[in-house]
Amino acid sequence: MAEPPLKGIRVIELARILAGPWAGQLLADLGADVIKVENPDGGDDTRKWGPPFVEGRDGENLSAAYYHSCNRGKRSVALDFSTSEGAATVRKLVATADVLIENFKLGGLKKYGLDYETLHKINPRLVYCSITGFGQDGPYAPRPGYDFIIQGMAGMMSITGAAGGEPQKAGVAISDIFTGLYSVIAIQAALRHAETTGQGQYIDMALFDTQISVLGNQNLNYLVSGKSPVQMGNAHMNIAPYEVVPVRDGHIILAVGNDGQFQRFCHVIDLNDLPGDPDFATNAARVGNRAKLRAAIVERLANYDKAPLLAKLETAGVPASPINTIGEMFADPQAIARGMRLDLDDGHGNKLPSVRAPMLMSETPPAYNRPSPRLGEHTDEILAELERQGE
C-alpha cells in the first residue's frame, strides 16, 4: 500500500481556533507535514476552551477537547513571531514549505514580514492560503470573522429553527468547518498548479463567501422564485413528508423522497387512501397540502413505537431513522464498523480520543499516526531540522 497522498508536502500553519486548523488537520491526515506555529504564551486559544479537558494518566491537563478536535497529526513549534527573531525563524520555515495557512485579520501579518508578497519572494512556489471572515476586499474586509455572526449575515440562520420562532445557528460552527474544507480543495488545486508551473499563488478564503455558497438549493429557490426561504423547523421546502414526526415514545425522521416511497409508507401505517387522494398523490401536491398531510400522519403515528416502526419502514424501503444523541451515534453499529472513533498514542502513555476523516482511500489511505501536539512539543526537533538544512 502506498504512502498517504500528500507525503512530502510541508504546511506551515499560522492559524488558530477552527477554520485554519481544520484545514491543517485534514492536510495532515492526507500525509502532509503540518507545522503549527503557536505563541509560547498559551498557544492556540482553543487549548483553554473547556471544560471538558483531556486529562493525562498522571492528571496533567492536555488541553481542551475543542483543541483536540482540529489539531491531530501536526507538530507544534512555540515561536513568538512578533519579535524579529521569531519572525525570521518563521520565514526560514516558509522557505522549506509548500503551503502556508493563516487566519489573521486583514493585513495582520504584513508588519511581521509574513505577508504573501514578502514570502513569495522567499519561496515563489509557496501556496499562501488566507482565511478571514469577509475576504480581502469589500466594505466588510477589515471586520473580524466569527462563525455565529457569519451564519446570521450569510442567510443560514434565517432558514434554521422552528417556523416563526427565534432564528437558530447550527449546532456546530459550520461556516468555519466548511471554509476549512474548501480551503483544502483550493490548496490541493494550487499545489497541482505549482507542480506544473513552479509558481505558487494566493488563496483568499472568506467564511462569508463559504456560508453563502453552501446554502445550496435554498439559494436557487430564492434566485428562481424571488422569495426568500424561511424557517420551517425540520420540514423541507421542496419535499413532503420530509421532517421529524412524533411517535408514541419519542420522535423519528421521515424522509420520503418520491411517490413510490410515499405509497409504501402509507401502506406500512395503514393510510392506504392517501396515495390516491389528489391532494397527496404527487410530491408537488403534498408540498402544497403539507399541513393537512402532517396532521393525518401524526394522528396515525401516535399508535406506533419507534423501534418496531423503523424496522417495518426499513423492510418496506422507506427512508426513516432514529434521532441519536452523539453518544448513541458513537455506539451505533455502523459507526463502530466504519471505525469512526480513533484512540491515538501520544508517546507519553496516553490514548487521546479523535475522529477519523470521512475518507477511505484504497491505495493512499490517510494516516493517523500522531495525536494533537502539546504546546511547543516539537520546537527543538523542528529548529534542529532548520539548522541541518542551513548547513
Side-chain angles (χ1 to χ4, degrees), residues 260-311:
Q261 291 173 356
F262 181 66
Q263 293 163 12
R264 296 194 297 274
F265 167 67
C266 290
H267 178 71
V268 168
I269 66 169
D270 196 23
L271 284 176
N272 292 305
D273 57 326
L274 291 191
D277 188 326
D279 285 348
F280 310 119
T282 66
N283 179 70
R286 292 191 292 275
V287 168
N289 295 284
R290 66 167 72 243
K292 187 164 62 168
L293 174 64
R294 178 177 173 84
I297 292 172
V298 168
E299 181 181 6
R300 183 54 56 93
L301 291 183
N303 301 313
Y304 289 84
D305 292 326
K306 280 187 293 186
L309 175 60
L310 288 171

Coordinates of all heavy atoms in Angstrom, one line a residue, residues 260-311:
G260 N -43.3 6.6 -4.9 CA -43.3 5.2 -4.6 C -43.0 5.0 -3.1 O -43.7 4.2 -2.4
Q261 N -42.1 5.8 -2.5 CA -41.8 5.7 -1.1 C -43.0 6.2 -0.3 O -43.3 5.6 0.7 CB -40.6 6.6 -0.8 CG -39.3 6.1 -1.3 CD -38.1 7.0 -1.1 OE1 -38.3 8.1 -0.6 NE2 -37.0 6.6 -1.5
F262 N -43.7 7.2 -0.8 CA -44.9 7.6 -0.1 C -46.0 6.5 0.0 O -46.6 6.3 1.0 CB -45.5 8.9 -0.7 CG -46.7 9.4 0.0 CD1 -46.6 9.9 1.2 CD2 -47.9 9.5 -0.7 CE1 -47.8 10.5 1.9 CE2 -49.1 10.0 -0.1 CZ -49.0 10.5 1.2
Q263 N -46.2 5.9 -1.2 CA -47.2 4.8 -1.2 C -46.8 3.7 -0.2 O -47.7 3.2 0.5 CB -47.3 4.3 -2.6 CG -47.8 5.2 -3.6 CD -47.5 4.9 -5.1 OE1 -47.1 3.8 -5.4 NE2 -47.8 5.8 -6.0
R264 N -45.5 3.3 -0.2 CA -45.1 2.2 0.7 C -45.2 2.7 2.2 O -45.6 1.9 3.1 CB -43.7 1.8 0.4 CG -43.6 1.2 -1.0 CD -42.2 0.5 -1.2 NE -41.1 1.3 -1.1 CZ -40.6 2.0 -2.1 NH1 -41.2 2.0 -3.3 NH2 -39.5 2.8 -1.9
F265 N -44.9 3.9 2.5 CA -45.1 4.5 3.8 C -46.5 4.4 4.3 O -46.8 3.9 5.4 CB -44.6 5.9 3.9 CG -44.9 6.6 5.1 CD1 -44.4 6.2 6.4 CD2 -45.9 7.7 5.1 CE1 -44.8 6.9 7.5 CE2 -46.2 8.4 6.3 CZ -45.7 8.0 7.5
C266 N -47.4 4.8 3.4 CA -48.8 4.8 3.7 C -49.3 3.4 4.0 O -50.2 3.1 4.9 CB -49.7 5.5 2.6 SG -49.4 7.3 2.6
H267 N -48.8 2.4 3.2 CA -49.2 1.0 3.4 C -48.7 0.5 4.8 O -49.5 -0.2 5.5 CB -48.6 0.2 2.3 CG -48.9 -1.3 2.5 ND1 -50.2 -1.8 2.2 CD2 -48.1 -2.3 2.8 CE1 -50.2 -3.1 2.5 NE2 -48.9 -3.5 2.8
V268 N -47.5 0.9 5.2 CA -47.0 0.4 6.5 C -47.8 0.9 7.6 O -48.1 0.2 8.6 CB -45.5 0.9 6.7 CG1 -45.1 0.7 8.1 CG2 -44.6 0.2 5.7
I269 N -48.3 2.2 7.6 CA -49.1 2.7 8.7 C -50.6 2.8 8.5 O -51.3 3.4 9.2 CB -48.6 4.1 9.1 CG1 -48.8 5.2 8.0 CG2 -47.1 4.1 9.5 CD1 -48.6 6.6 8.4
D270 N -51.0 2.0 7.4 CA -52.4 1.8 7.1 C -53.1 3.1 6.9 O -54.2 3.4 7.4 CB -53.1 1.1 8.3 CG -54.4 0.5 7.9 OD1 -54.7 0.3 6.7 OD2 -55.3 0.3 8.8
L271 N -52.5 3.9 6.0 CA -53.2 5.1 5.4 C -53.3 5.0 3.9 O -52.9 5.8 3.2 CB -52.4 6.4 5.8 CG -52.5 6.9 7.2 CD1 -51.6 8.1 7.4 CD2 -53.9 7.3 7.6
N272 N -53.9 3.8 3.5 CA -53.9 3.5 2.1 C -54.7 4.4 1.2 O -54.6 4.3 0.0 CB -54.3 2.0 2.0 CG -53.3 1.1 2.6 OD1 -52.1 1.1 2.2 ND2 -53.7 0.2 3.5
D273 N -55.6 5.2 1.8 CA -56.4 6.1 1.0 C -55.6 7.3 0.6 O -56.0 8.0 -0.4 CB -57.6 6.5 1.8 CG -57.3 7.2 3.1 OD1 -56.3 6.7 3.7 OD2 -58.0 8.1 3.5
L274 N -54.5 7.7 1.2 CA -53.8 8.9 0.9 C -53.2 8.9 -0.5 O -53.3 9.9 -1.2 CB -52.8 9.2 2.0 CG -53.3 9.6 3.4 CD1 -52.1 10.1 4.2 CD2 -54.4 10.6 3.3
P275 N -52.5 7.9 -0.9 CA -51.8 8.0 -2.2 C -52.7 8.2 -3.4 O -52.3 8.8 -4.4 CB -51.1 6.6 -2.3 CG -50.9 6.2 -0.9 CD -52.1 6.6 -0.2
G276 N -54.0 7.8 -3.3 CA -54.9 8.1 -4.3 C -55.7 9.4 -4.2 O -56.4 9.8 -5.2
D277 N -55.4 10.1 -3.2 CA -56.1 11.4 -3.0 C -55.3 12.5 -3.8 O -54.1 12.6 -3.7 CB -56.1 11.8 -1.5 CG -56.9 13.0 -1.2 OD1 -56.9 13.9 -2.0 OD2 -57.4 13.1 0.0
P278 N -56.0 13.2 -4.7 CA -55.3 14.2 -5.5 C -54.5 15.2 -4.6 O -53.5 15.8 -5.1 CB -56.5 14.9 -6.2 CG -57.6 13.9 -6.3 CD -57.4 13.2 -5.0
D279 N -54.9 15.4 -3.4 CA -54.1 16.4 -2.5 C -52.8 15.8 -2.1 O -51.9 16.6 -1.7 CB -54.9 16.7 -1.2 CG -56.1 17.6 -1.5 OD1 -56.2 18.2 -2.6 OD2 -56.9 17.7 -0.6
F280 N -52.6 14.5 -2.3 CA -51.3 13.9 -1.8 C -50.7 12.9 -2.8 O -49.7 12.3 -2.5 CB -51.6 13.1 -0.5 CG -52.4 13.8 0.5 CD1 -53.6 13.4 1.0 CD2 -51.9 15.0 1.1 CE1 -54.3 14.1 1.9 CE2 -52.6 15.7 2.0 CZ -53.8 15.3 2.4
A281 N -51.2 12.9 -4.0 CA -50.8 11.9 -5.0 C -49.4 12.1 -5.5 O -48.6 11.2 -5.9 CB -51.8 11.7 -6.1
T282 N -49.0 13.4 -5.6 CA -47.7 13.8 -6.1 C -46.9 14.6 -5.0 O -47.5 15.2 -4.1 CB -47.8 14.6 -7.4 OG1 -48.4 15.9 -7.1 CG2 -48.6 13.9 -8.4
N283 N -45.6 14.7 -5.2 CA -44.8 15.5 -4.3 C -45.3 16.9 -4.3 O -45.4 17.6 -3.2 CB -43.4 15.4 -4.6 CG -42.5 16.2 -3.6 OD1 -42.4 15.9 -2.5 ND2 -42.0 17.4 -4.1
A284 N -45.5 17.5 -5.4 CA -46.0 18.9 -5.5 C -47.3 19.1 -4.7 O -47.5 20.1 -4.0 CB -46.1 19.3 -7.0
A285 N -48.2 18.1 -4.9 CA -49.5 18.2 -4.2 C -49.2 18.1 -2.6 O -49.9 18.8 -1.8 CB -50.4 17.1 -4.6
R286 N -48.3 17.2 -2.3 CA -48.1 17.0 -0.8 C -47.4 18.3 -0.2 O -47.7 18.7 0.9 CB -47.2 15.8 -0.6 CG -47.9 14.5 -0.9 CD -47.1 13.3 -0.5 NE -45.8 13.1 -1.2 CZ -45.7 12.4 -2.3 NH1 -46.8 11.9 -2.9 NH2 -44.5 12.3 -2.9
V287 N -46.5 18.9 -1.0 CA -45.9 20.2 -0.5 C -47.0 21.2 -0.3 O -47.0 22.0 0.6 CB -44.8 20.6 -1.5 CG1 -44.4 22.1 -1.2 CG2 -43.6 19.7 -1.4
G288 N -47.9 21.3 -1.3 CA -49.0 22.3 -1.2 C -50.0 22.1 -0.1 O -50.7 23.0 0.4
N289 N -50.1 20.8 0.4 CA -51.0 20.5 1.4 C -50.3 19.9 2.6 O -50.9 19.0 3.3 CB -52.0 19.5 0.8 CG -52.9 20.1 -0.3 OD1 -53.8 20.8 0.0 ND2 -52.6 19.8 -1.5
R290 N -49.1 20.4 2.9 CA -48.3 19.7 3.9 C -48.9 19.7 5.3 O -48.8 18.8 6.1 CB -46.9 20.3 4.0 CG -46.8 21.8 4.4 CD -45.4 22.2 4.7 NE -44.5 22.4 3.5 CZ -43.5 21.6 3.2 NH1 -43.1 20.7 4.1 NH2 -42.8 21.8 2.1
A291 N -49.7 20.8 5.7 CA -50.2 20.9 7.0 C -51.3 19.8 7.2 O -51.3 19.1 8.2 CB -50.9 22.2 7.2
K292 N -52.1 19.6 6.2 CA -53.2 18.5 6.3 C -52.5 17.2 6.3 O -53.0 16.2 7.0 CB -54.2 18.7 5.1 CG -55.4 17.8 5.2 CD -56.5 18.2 4.3 CE -56.1 18.2 2.8 NZ -57.3 18.3 1.9
L293 N -51.5 17.0 5.5 CA -50.8 15.7 5.4 C -50.1 15.4 6.7 O -50.2 14.3 7.2 CB -49.7 15.8 4.3 CG -48.8 14.6 4.2 CD1 -49.6 13.3 3.8 CD2 -47.7 14.8 3.2
R294 N -49.5 16.4 7.3 CA -48.8 16.1 8.6 C -49.8 15.8 9.7 O -49.6 14.9 10.5 CB -48.0 17.4 9.0 CG -47.3 17.2 10.4 CD -46.5 18.4 10.8 NE -46.0 18.2 12.1 CZ -44.9 17.5 12.5 NH1 -44.1 16.9 11.6 NH2 -44.5 17.5 13.7
A295 N -50.9 16.4 9.7 CA -51.9 16.1 10.7 C -52.4 14.7 10.6 O -52.5 14.0 11.6 CB -53.1 17.1 10.6
A296 N -52.6 14.2 9.4 CA -53.0 12.8 9.2 C -51.9 11.8 9.7 O -52.2 10.8 10.3 CB -53.4 12.6 7.8
I297 N -50.7 12.1 9.3 CA -49.6 11.2 9.7 C -49.4 11.2 11.2 O -49.2 10.2 11.8 CB -48.3 11.7 9.0 CG1 -48.4 11.4 7.4 CG2 -47.1 10.9 9.5 CD1 -47.3 12.0 6.6
V298 N -49.4 12.4 11.8 CA -49.1 12.5 13.3 C -50.2 11.8 14.0 O -49.9 11.0 15.0 CB -49.1 14.0 13.7 CG1 -49.1 14.1 15.2 CG2 -47.8 14.6 13.2
E299 N -51.5 11.9 13.6 CA -52.6 11.2 14.3 C -52.3 9.7 14.3 O -52.5 9.0 15.3 CB -53.9 11.5 13.6 CG -55.1 10.9 14.3 CD -56.4 11.2 13.6 OE1 -56.4 11.9 12.6 OE2 -57.5 10.8 14.1
R300 N -51.9 9.2 13.1 CA -51.7 7.7 13.0 C -50.5 7.2 13.7 O -50.5 6.2 14.4 CB -51.6 7.3 11.5 CG -51.5 5.8 11.2 CD -52.7 5.0 11.9 NE -54.0 5.5 11.5 CZ -54.7 5.0 10.5 NH1 -54.2 4.0 9.8 NH2 -55.8 5.5 10.2
L301 N -49.4 8.0 13.7 CA -48.2 7.6 14.3 C -48.2 7.6 15.9 O -47.4 7.0 16.5 CB -47.0 8.4 13.9 CG -46.6 8.3 12.4 CD1 -45.4 9.1 12.1 CD2 -46.3 6.8 12.1
A302 N -49.2 8.2 16.4 CA -49.4 8.2 17.9 C -49.6 6.8 18.4 O -49.5 6.5 19.6 CB -50.6 9.1 18.3
N303 N -49.9 5.8 17.5 CA -50.1 4.4 17.9 C -48.9 3.6 17.7 O -49.0 2.3 17.9 CB -51.3 3.8 17.0 CG -52.6 4.6 17.2 OD1 -53.0 4.9 18.3 ND2 -53.2 4.9 16.1
Y304 N -47.8 4.1 17.3 CA -46.6 3.3 17.0 C -45.4 3.7 17.9 O -45.2 4.9 18.2 CB -46.2 3.6 15.5 CG -47.1 3.0 14.5 CD1 -48.2 3.6 14.1 CD2 -46.8 1.7 13.9 CE1 -49.1 3.1 13.1 CE2 -47.7 1.2 13.0 CZ -48.8 1.9 12.6 OH -49.7 1.3 11.7
D305 N -44.6 2.7 18.2 CA -43.3 3.0 18.9 C -42.2 3.0 17.9 O -42.3 2.4 16.8 CB -43.1 1.9 20.0 CG -44.1 1.9 21.1 OD1 -44.5 3.1 21.5 OD2 -44.5 0.9 21.6
K306 N -41.1 3.7 18.3 CA -40.0 3.9 17.4 C -39.4 2.6 16.8 O -39.4 2.5 15.5 CB -38.9 4.7 18.1 CG -39.1 6.2 18.2 CD -37.9 6.9 18.8 CE -37.6 6.5 20.2 NZ -36.5 7.3 20.8
A307 N -38.9 1.8 17.6 CA -38.1 0.7 17.1 C -38.9 -0.3 16.2 O -38.4 -0.5 15.1 CB -37.5 -0.1 18.3
P308 N -40.1 -0.7 16.5 CA -40.8 -1.6 15.6 C -41.2 -0.9 14.3 O -41.2 -1.5 13.2 CB -42.0 -2.1 16.4 CG -42.1 -1.2 17.5 CD -40.8 -0.7 17.8
L309 N -41.6 0.4 14.4 CA -42.0 1.2 13.2 C -40.8 1.3 12.3 O -40.9 1.1 11.1 CB -42.5 2.5 13.6 CG -42.9 3.5 12.5 CD1 -43.9 2.8 11.5 CD2 -43.3 4.8 13.0
L310 N -39.6 1.7 12.8 CA -38.5 1.8 12.0 C -38.1 0.5 11.3 O -37.6 0.5 10.1 CB -37.3 2.4 12.8 CG -37.4 3.9 13.2 CD1 -36.3 4.2 14.2 CD2 -37.3 4.8 12.0
A311 N -38.2 -0.6 12.0 CA -37.9 -1.9 11.4 C -38.9 -2.1 10.2 O -38.4 -2.6 9.1 CB -38.0 -3.0 12.4

